[in-house]
Amino acid sequence: MKVLIVDDERDVETLFRQKFRKEVRNHNLELTFAFSGQEALDILQKEDPPKVVYVFSDINMPGMTGLELLDKIKAKFPGITVSMISAYGDSENYNKAIQSGAKEFFTKPIDFESLRGEIKQLL
């Protein structure tokens, strides 16, 4: 299963690769990273249909926000599951994300066990 992680902080790639190394090693998970909303859309548009089945995106990013990205993904690729993450667990972002079609909303620091459970539901 191909997962796209979108975050403007590049150190999340190392963190995700460490936390999911077993799943990646066993070929249960393929991790792809984008560091902006536009880069994420470019990755999704490379293949028709996209091989990505799950997008995990930060909300607060420069340029295109995660909520704007969520709207674009849901409009163009309605079959892709999207979950959002924010450093701020405020109800406004939570409500906007869920109303826009996000499956789940996580706050930083990421609870990787909850995220792992979320991904296993899709496998």
Side-chain angles (χ1 to χ4, degrees), residues 26-84:
N26 292 337
H27 304 287
N28 294 328
L29 211 54
E30 180 184 341
L31 299 179
T32 303
F33 296 86
F35 302 101
S36 71
Q38 186 57 56
E39 186 180 355
L41 288 176
D42 292 345
I43 288 168
L44 293 173
Q45 292 170 355
K46 279 184 185 174
E47 300 169 313
D48 187 23
K51 290 193 172 101
V52 171
V53 296
Y54 184 69
V55 174
F56 186 71
S57 177
D58 189 17
I59 285 182
N60 298 307
M61 296 184 291
M64 184 187 308
T65 69
L67 291 171
E68 292 168 328
L69 175 62
L70 172 62
D71 287 339
K72 290 176 189 276
I73 291 172
K74 287 299 174 183
K76 270 193 139 167
F77 312 103
I80 295 177
T81 301
V82 182
S83 288
M84 306 303 295

Side-chain angles (χ1 to χ4, degrees), residues 9 17 24-25 40 48 53 59 61 64 70-72 76 81 87-91 98 100 102 104-105 107 120:
E9 296 177 28
R17 290 200 185 280
V24 170
R25 187 176 54 239
D48 187 23
V53 296
I59 285 182
M61 296 184 291
M64 184 187 308
L70 172 62
D71 287 339
K72 290 176 189 276
K76 270 193 139 167
T81 301
Y88 315 101
D90 65 277
S91 61
I98 298 302
S100 296
E104 194 59 66
F105 185 93
T107 54
K120 281 183 180 177

